[in-house]
């Protein structure tokens, strides 16, 4: 029987697992008659802050707004420069430009695939106000080094944690290192809602106070705007659903890491590059991304075996038509550009069935023995000549 293709993500499968408590949460909100910024949002803000061990969480409409509001709250204004990476979702850069600030790109480290702090000093100008490291794919960026550069130069740090719920550095959750941190709860994230949702977390009570105002027209008290703000509120329904799923985040992350370990094991002794294990960090395995030199053939092989693959992302931000040729730092991103020739995303999420994990692992092994045989055919005539 023809097997169905294994999807790259399956948020529906996850929701089916939680259907009963999600319906109960839905009914509770429905009956409450209060749908915006009420008990569920406050409870989720408390629970998410407690999970991360930070004192303040502010629920907002989505992860892009969370970044933009966090940057505004730390004092970034129109015309200020913000250093980030081009190896990220476009949302990171869109958030910087949303508040009129100017993105600048730093290259990445080839192992972690995150911002390389060694490049930061050369990019800092008199207009620089903040750094946005991205914990891409769930791999924490080197926060100790980034915070040290920021401190030396008087810059603020806003962590982009949209892909890294539950990832840690030296046992501490990402989101607790910067002046503020932004989370997205887009449905496919490690902690996902049933629509758009986001949050900012911070250790600083003054920033938290500003963020509560900024997300709702600058109000501390209803209808009195103390500063210009916007509407980016987390709604009660999404907050209630996130509260249902939060207790399972850690066990789901463990499952993601087990699946990733099986794939990495299958990739041993191959030319494919698996995600690196970076000392002192725990990966959230939001996305399992390998590097393949023969990418189109590798993708065809997997797709032919009924495994959906992706590219996160098809283009780095500085290669996207909307951003090409206009962002400082774009000319010096050799590591980012090399990665974008090779990256391939494999399905890796907690609902993946054991037989799917086995099938993907076996297919990776078959690919590597096939490419080894191909390599032998190519190299053997030359080897023979050398022997003669
Ligand atoms: C790295 C990164 N930053 C920011 C965002 C923005 O989140 P949202 O889609 O909730 O606006 C995303 C989500 O796709 C992301 O992956």
């Amino acid at each position: 029987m023809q097997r169905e293709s294994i999807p790259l993500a399956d948020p529906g499968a996850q929701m089916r697992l939680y259907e009963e408590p999600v319906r109960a949460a839905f009914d509770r909100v429905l009956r409450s008659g209060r749908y915006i910024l009420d008990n569920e949002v406050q409870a989720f803000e408390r629970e998410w802050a407690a999970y991360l061990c930070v004192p303040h969480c502010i629920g907002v409409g989505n992860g892009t707004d969370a970044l933009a509001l966090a940057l505004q709250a730390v004092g970034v204004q129109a015309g200020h420069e913000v250093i980030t990476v081009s190896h990220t979702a476009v949302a990171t850069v869109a958030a910087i430009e949303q508040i009129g600030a100017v993105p600048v790109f730093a290259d990445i480290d080839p192992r972690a695939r995150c911002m390389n702090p060694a490049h930061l000093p050369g990019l800092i100008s008199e207009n620089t106000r903040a750094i946005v490291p991205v914990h891409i794919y769930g791999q924490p960026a080197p926060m100790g080094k980034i915070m040290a550069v920021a401190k030396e130069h008087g810059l603020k740090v806003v962590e982009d944690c949209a892909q890294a719920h539950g990832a840690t550095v030296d046992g501490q959750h990402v989101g607790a290192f910067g002046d503020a941190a932004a989370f997205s709860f887009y449905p496919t994230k490690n902690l996902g809602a049933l629509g758009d949702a986001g949050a900012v977390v911070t250790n600083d009570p003054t920033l938290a106070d500003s963020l509560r105002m900024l997300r709702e027209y600058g109000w501390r008290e209803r209808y009195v705007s103390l500063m210009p703000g916007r509407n980016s509120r987390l709604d009660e329904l999404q907050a209630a659903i996130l509260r249902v799923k939060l207790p399972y985040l850690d066990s789901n992350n463990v499952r993601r890491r087990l699946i990733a370990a099986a794939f990495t094991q299958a990739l041993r002794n191959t030319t494919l590059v698996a995600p690196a294990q970076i000392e002192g960090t725990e990966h959230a395995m939001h996305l399992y991304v390998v590097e393949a030199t023969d990418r189109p053939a590798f993708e065809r092989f997997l797709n032919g075996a009924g495994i959906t693959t992706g590219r996160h992302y098809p283009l780095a931000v500085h290669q996207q038509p909307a951003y090409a040729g206009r962002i400082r730092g774009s000319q010096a991103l050799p590591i980012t550009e090399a990665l974008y020739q090779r990256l391939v995303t494999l399905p890796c999420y907690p609902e993946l069935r054991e037989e799917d994990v086995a099938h993907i692992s076996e297919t990776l092994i078959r690919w590597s023995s096939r490419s080894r045989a191909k390599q032998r055919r190519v190299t053997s005539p030359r080897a023979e000549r050398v022997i003669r």
Side-chain angles (χ1 to χ4, degrees):
M1 197 181 78
Q2 181 78 28
R3 57 178 295 140
E4 260 180 50
S5 271
I6 302 170
L8 197 55
D10 196 355
Q14 182 163 95
M15 276 301 173
R16 282 193 291 282
L17 285 178
Y18 305 118
E19 194 166 329
E20 225 177 282
V22 164
R23 282 189 191 282
F26 184 90
D27 288 346
R28 192 170 69 232
V29 173
L30 189 73
R31 278 192 234 105
S32 74
R34 312 175 82 106
Y35 307 121
I36 290 281
L37 292 188
D38 210 83
N39 290 339
E40 298 289 342
V41 171
Q42 282 163 22
F44 174 69
E45 288 176 340
R46 275 194 307 275
E47 289 161 16
W48 187 232
Y51 174 84
L52 296 172
C53 296
V54 295
H56 308 285
C57 170
I58 300 91
V60 298
N62 57 67
T64 311
D65 281 358
L67 279 166
L69 291 167
L71 286 167
Q72 253 183 305
V74 301
V76 174
Q77 294 175 4
H80 287 157
E81 289 186 344
V82 176
I83 305 176
T84 188
V85 283
S86 179
H87 175 36
T88 184
V90 158
T92 311
V93 181
I96 294 168
E97 293 200 334
Q98 202 183 101
I99 58 165
V102 181
V104 173
F105 289 141
D107 209 358
I108 54 171
D109 170 76
R111 287 187 71 237
R113 302 152 168 178
C114 292
M115 175 180 280
N116 183 342
H119 296 310
L120 290 172
L123 291 167
I124 295 169
S125 77
E126 59 184 20
N127 285 328
T128 311
R129 292 295 182 279
I131 302 172
V132 176
V134 182
H135 307 301
I136 195 78
Y137 306 148
Q139 168 62 57
M143 289 313 299
K145 288 186 181 153
I146 291 169
M147 293 309 293
V149 175
K151 193 165 171 208
E152 192 186 332
H153 295 270
L155 304 176
K156 300 293 185 186
V157 174
V158 172
E159 296 174 67
D160 184 339
C161 299
Q163 302 190 0
H165 313 72
T168 64
V169 180
D170 296 330
Q172 192 171 342
H173 282 127
V174 298
F177 293 90
D179 296 279
F183 285 88
S184 162
F185 304 112
Y186 183 80
T188 56
K189 302 299 190 205
N190 289 31
L191 179 61
L194 253 186
D196 276 317
V200 185
V201 300
T202 179
N203 290 307
D204 181 338
T206 313
L207 277 188
D209 186 44
S210 305
L211 282 157
R212 288 189 196 289
M213 291 194 269
L214 285 169
R215 77 171 164 188
E216 196 178 31
Y217 315 122
W219 292 351
R220 185 176 283 138
E221 186 188 319
R222 205 166 170 77
Y223 304 133
V224 182
S225 294
L226 300 178
M227 57 170 76
R230 71 172 80 182
N231 171 9
S232 184
R233 298 175 291 218
L234 175 60
D235 70 66
E236 287 285 287
L237 194 52
Q238 300 306 339
I241 291 163
L242 289 167
R243 293 184 67 204
V244 169
K245 294 176 75 182
L246 175 55
Y248 304 98
L249 173 61
D250 279 344
S251 55
N252 281 334
N253 279 353
V254 167
R255 170 90 181 130
R256 285 176 184 272
R257 286 194 280 269
L258 282 173
I259 296 169
F263 295 165
T264 299
Q265 173 76 8
L267 293 173
R268 263 178 336 140
N269 309 321
T270 72
T271 54
L272 295 162
V273 179
Q277 298 212 328
I278 308 291
E279 208 190 313
T281 70
E282 197 158 41
H283 203 301
M285 280 304 162
H286 173 59
L287 294 172
Y288 187 91
V289 176
V290 301
E291 292 166 49
T293 37
D294 196 1
R295 176 163 68 174
F298 176 60
E299 289 170 326
R300 272 197 306 276
F301 189 77
L302 291 177
N303 300 159
I307 300 162
T308 310
T309 56
R311 291 183 181 178
H312 291 84
Y313 296 89
L315 297 170
V317 181
H318 73 286
Q319 297 168 330
Q320 305 270 351
Y323 300 95
R326 67 175 184 84
I327 312 265
R328 190 160 73 79
S330 299
Q331 314 75 6
L333 303 172
I335 309 294
T336 301
E337 289 183 359
L339 177 66
Y340 273 73
Q341 300 288 317
R342 300 192 299 252
L343 53 82
V344 180
T345 311
L346 307 184
C348 179
Y349 43 91
E351 300 72 36
L352 215 49
R353 297 171 307 178
E354 273 314 316
E355 61 260 42
D356 293 337
V357 178
H359 177 64
I360 296 170
S361 303
E362 282 155 18
T363 310
L364 292 173
I365 291 167
R366 270 197 297 125
W367 163 262
S368 49
S369 40
R370 200 190 84 137
S371 34
R372 262 201 301 274
K374 209 165 131 195
Q375 211 172 8
R376 270 199 301 276
R377 278 200 302 279
V378 172
T379 53
S380 58
R382 202 163 140 250
E384 273 168 29
R385 273 203 304 280
V386 172
I387 291 161
R388 262 192 250 125

